[in-house]
């Protein structure tokens, strides 16, 4: 806690609520095994970023097992064994004859190869950037690469429009990759131009290259499918960076292309929207107000597709009627000693409906004038002033604390994956604790009471208090974040207790 005069910052933030919806694609019966070969890109592109985005796209498709190899030079046929398709996200030095022959044999045997954007040129084709121009040395090229890519980009043609939004038109929707996709979509990216396609490739999508954006004034192919021996190849010129790849048009196309290249068929359906949440996410209302806190606090709720949250900073916003119909878990990070009667009724109905409460840090000061709250729900109380013969509780910021799981509670679901936390945070001492709390984590620091994380009586629902959470260092600590996430899921009834009954 800070001194009270510093406590009147009221943060108003529009709640961030993701779109709840059905998963776009069903869980797959079998996993398709994909290897990303990456580790180099030309200076205009960032292979780390784009490889991570590829993995995110393929993960969202729920169909693939993905591995990434960042040093392809020197790999052999044995490395590729067991994969269904390889994605090349690499633009750098040649891999050497054994590795290149291994990839050719892999694809020719009936497997898949997918590549995109920054792989459209480079040393594999014998082209290299020299200052502002391009050199071409056919002797330096990987002979089979043109056929694997399905194209050659003559050095004098290498270029693209100014990044802008254009329409991608699917000109062939009889191919497994494009079948069932919308006939066109708007896309923002660089638009590569003047590539020379290899004979036999099947152009699936084009985009008009507008001269107003320094384009060619004609349709340019933007993705195509080809073959190599018994294998399948796919290349798209789209996907400059993670922002381009994030777009549903790219994500959908890439996931479908990878499945087709790997298996020869596409089972994926619908539009792959990376912003889409999992079905039935936990709905969390975060209640603040009455005390300042680092904005890093909000990051505790971000990055999970099974959780949607909104934020309320005032009593009026937070404790509306029908709270229990709108939310699964209330996270308290506010500091209000009192609460109006209507708000009390709404909150009590929420708790008694069996819902979840996660109280964090200074929220232990909440509703100290409402015994039902601290006795029946939380099971703890911080005394801001001496009361009934008890001295006021104390606080001290910046204390090095070791907070460890209580031995016999180590297998509690809230502590799953949580080790002792060594943090610099705020110590509280001299609080009241109900004999009915179940302590999950504790400390023996002299400036702190022993219980630090505990499950309260619950009042008919599930309540957990987590004292830590004052400092940025704690809020960013992955172990703390796991604890908070577990607590939210547990409070929502989503973390089954798999402990053996004693
Ligand atoms: Zn604090
Ligand atoms: Zn680019």
């Amino acid at each position: 806690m800070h001194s009270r005069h510093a406590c009147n910052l009221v943060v108003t933030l529009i709640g961030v609520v993701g779109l709840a919806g059905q998963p776009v694609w069903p869980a797959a019966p079998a996993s398709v095994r994909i290897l990303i070969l990456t580790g180099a890109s030309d200076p205009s592109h960032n292979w780390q970023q784009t490889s991570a985005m590829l993995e995110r796209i393929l993960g969202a498709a729920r169909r693939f097992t993905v591995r990434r190899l960042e040093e392809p030079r020197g790999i052999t046929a044995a490395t590729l064994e067991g994969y269904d398709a390889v994605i090349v996200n690499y633009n750098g030095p040649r891999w050497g004859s054994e590795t290149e022959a291994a990839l050719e044999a892999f694809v020719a045997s009936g497997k898949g190869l997918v590549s995109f954007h920054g792989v459209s040129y480079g040393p594999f084709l014998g082209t290299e950037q020299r200052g502002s121009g391009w050199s071409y040395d056919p002797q330096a090229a990987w002979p089979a690469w043109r056929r694997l890519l399905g194209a050659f980009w003559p050095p004098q043609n290498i270029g693209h429009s100014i990044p802008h939004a254009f329409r991608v038109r699917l000109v062939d929707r009889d191919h497994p990759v494009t079948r069932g996709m919308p006939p066109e979509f708007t896309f923002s990216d660089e638009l590569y131009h003047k590539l020379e396609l290899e004979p036999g490739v099947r152009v699936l999508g084009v985009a008009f290259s507008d001269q107003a954006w320094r384009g060619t004034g004609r349709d340019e192919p933007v993705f195509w499918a080809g073959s190599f021996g018994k294998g399948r190849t796919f290349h798209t010129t789209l996907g400059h960076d993670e922002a381009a790849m994030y777009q549903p048009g790219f994500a959908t196309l890439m996931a479908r292309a990878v499945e087709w290249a790997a298996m020869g068929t596409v089972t994926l359906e619908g539009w792959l929207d990376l912003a889409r949440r999992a079905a039935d996410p936990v709905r969390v209302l975060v209640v603040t107000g009455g005390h300042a806190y680092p904005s890093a606090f909000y990051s505790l709720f971000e990055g999970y597709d099974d959780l949607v949250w909104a934020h309320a900073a005032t009593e009026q916003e937070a404790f509306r009627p029908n709270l229990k119909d709108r939310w699964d878990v209330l996270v308290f990070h506010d500091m209000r000693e009192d609460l109006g009667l209507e708000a009390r009724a709404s909150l009590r109905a929420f708790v008694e409906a069996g819902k979840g409460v996660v109280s964090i840090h200074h929220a232990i000061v909440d509703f100290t004038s409402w015994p039902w709250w601290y006795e029946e729900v939380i099971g703890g109380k911080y005394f801001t002033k001496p009361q009934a013969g008890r001295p006021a509780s104390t606080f001290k910021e910046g204390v090095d604390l070791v907070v460890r799981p209580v031995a016999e509670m180590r297998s509690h679901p809230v502590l799953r994956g949580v080790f002792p936390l060594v943090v610099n945070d705020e110590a509280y001492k001299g609080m009241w604790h109900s004999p009915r709390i179940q302590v999950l984590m504790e400390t023996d620091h002299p400036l702190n009471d022993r219980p630090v994380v505990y499950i309260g009586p619950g009042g008919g629902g599930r309540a957990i208090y987590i004292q830590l959470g004052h400092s940025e260092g704690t809020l960013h600590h992955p172990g703390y974040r796991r604890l908070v996430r577990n607590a939210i899921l547990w409070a929502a009834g989503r973390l089954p207790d798999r402990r053996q009954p004693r």
Side-chain angles (χ1 to χ4, degrees):
M1 238 150 284
H2 305 279
S3 57
R4 290 297 302 222
H5 65 264
C7 292
N8 52 9
L9 173 70
V10 175
V11 178
T12 49
L13 185 91
I14 301 303
V16 182
V17 183
L19 293 169
Q22 295 301 311
V24 184
W25 288 332
S31 206
V32 179
R33 294 153 302 176
I34 305 300
L35 179 64
I36 299 174
L37 295 180
T38 188
S41 53
D42 68 295
S44 313
H45 299 114
N46 179 336
W47 63 265
Q48 287 98 335
Q49 185 195 80
T50 52
S51 293
M53 193 44 126
L54 266 183
E55 289 176 6
R56 187 172 160 195
I57 290 167
L58 297 180
R62 298 170 203 273
R63 182 85 173 92
F64 305 102
T65 302
V66 184
R67 296 283 178 274
R68 185 203 295 198
L69 214 157
E70 299 182 356
E71 185 46 276
R73 279 177 288 187
I75 66 169
T76 65
T79 317
L80 302 174
E81 220 167 88
Y83 290 100
D84 301 306
V86 163
I87 303 175
V88 173
N89 183 23
Y90 176 100
N91 182 338
R94 296 264 312 264
W95 287 337
S97 53
E98 186 184 2
T99 298
E100 292 169 359
L103 186 63
E104 289 174 34
F106 170 83
V107 180
S109 75
K111 303 299 183 92
L113 179 78
V114 172
S115 54
F116 67 104
H117 196 68
V119 186
S120 304
Y121 52 92
F124 286 3
L125 288 172
T127 53
E128 269 186 276
Q129 200 153 14
R130 292 274 155 79
S132 58
W134 292 84
S135 69
Y136 174 52
D137 176 5
Q139 300 303 314
W142 172 358
W145 185 251
R146 259 186 212 219
R147 281 187 295 131
L148 288 164
L149 193 68
F152 176 64
W153 211 355
Q156 69 278 9
N157 288 4
I158 294 176
H160 56 75
S161 69
I162 296 168
H164 66 290
F166 47 83
R167 294 292 281 173
V168 171
R169 294 173 0 250
L170 276 58
V171 290
D172 180 348
R173 292 166 74 217
D174 288 326
H175 191 277
V177 170
T178 46
R179 199 171 293 146
M181 282 183 72
E184 49 182 275
F185 55 88
T186 303
F187 200 75
S188 170
D189 206 343
E190 299 168 344
L191 182 50
Y192 283 4
H193 55 218
K194 301 184 199 164
L195 279 94
E196 290 177 1
L197 299 182
E198 286 288 295
V201 302
R202 190 163 160 184
V203 174
L204 304 178
V206 303
F208 179 73
S209 178
D210 194 334
Q211 286 177 315
W213 297 96
R214 284 199 219 143
T216 55
R218 57 171 209 221
D219 280 346
E220 296 290 346
V222 289
F223 44 89
W224 51 86
S227 61
F228 187 87
K230 285 190 243 164
R232 293 163 297 276
T233 67
F234 178 92
H235 182 80
T236 175
T237 59
L238 304 176
H240 168 72
D241 63 1
E242 61 182 358
M245 297 168 74
Y246 173 83
Q247 299 172 90
F250 185 93
T252 304
L253 182 69
M254 181 54 76
R256 295 180 64 91
V258 170
E259 190 184 14
W260 171 74
M263 310 308 283
T265 54
V266 177
T267 61
L268 304 169
E269 285 174 6
W271 204 232
L272 182 57
D273 183 349
L274 296 183
R276 193 79 68 95
R277 304 290 169 137
D280 195 21
V282 177
R283 301 164 302 165
V284 178
L285 179 66
V286 177
V287 182
T288 64
H291 199 294
Y293 50 88
S295 58
F297 175 74
Y298 301 119
S299 73
L300 290 172
F301 314 103
E302 282 299 319
Y304 305 113
D305 73 356
D306 57 357
L307 184 158
V308 293
W309 67 286
H311 175 239
T314 66
E315 183 179 320
Q316 291 71 20
E317 275 183 283
F319 306 108
R320 296 195 186 140
N322 304 326
L323 212 47
K324 65 180 171 51
D325 302 324
R326 302 176 61 204
W327 306 105
D328 302 310
V329 176
L330 296 181
V331 171
F332 288 87
H333 192 49
D334 57 344
M335 201 164 112
R336 304 185 156 80
E337 298 214 41
D338 201 7
L339 196 62
L341 291 180
E342 278 178 35
R344 286 187 189 194
S346 177
L347 176 51
R348 186 158 179 166
F350 175 85
V351 170
E352 289 179 343
K355 298 286 189 151
V357 168
V358 177
S359 172
I360 295 180
H361 191 57
H362 50 241
I364 194 65
V365 185
D366 268 354
F367 321 142
T368 46
S369 60
W370 188 19
W372 179 79
W373 179 255
Y374 58 80
E375 284 176 5
E376 298 300 323
V377 181
I378 301 297
K381 174 176 175 172
Y382 184 101
F383 294 88
T384 53
K385 44 188 170 300
Q387 208 177 319
R390 282 183 83 113
S393 309
T394 58
F395 62 88
K396 186 165 172 40
E397 293 175 21
V399 178
D400 289 326
L401 294 168
V402 179
V403 177
R404 57 176 184 275
V406 172
E408 56 272 23
M409 300 301 282
R410 256 194 303 244
S411 52
H412 192 280
V414 169
L415 297 179
R416 205 169 287 161
V418 177
F419 284 9
L421 292 168
V422 178
V423 289
N424 185 278
D425 210 87
E426 184 171 16
Y428 291 165
K429 194 172 173 67
M431 294 174 285
W432 170 81
H433 294 107
S434 164
R436 291 185 285 154
I437 62 173
Q438 275 184 283
V439 181
L440 298 183
M441 297 183 82
E442 63 184 5
T443 186
D444 48 19
H445 196 286
L447 292 176
N448 207 95
D449 287 340
R450 180 165 277 273
V452 179
V453 177
Y454 52 86
I455 291 170
R462 297 158 175 260
I464 184 164
Y465 175 67
I466 298 171
Q467 183 201 307
L468 299 175
H470 175 86
S471 73
E472 294 236 15
T474 300
L475 294 170
H476 287 299
H477 190 308
Y480 176 77
R481 299 169 75 85
R482 190 172 300 152
L483 172 69
V484 172
R485 173 167 166 77
N486 286 350
I488 291 171
L489 294 177
W490 174 82
R494 305 288 181 99
L495 270 194
D497 193 343
R498 295 204 197 88
R499 291 177 297 169
Q500 299 299 316
R502 283 166 190 275

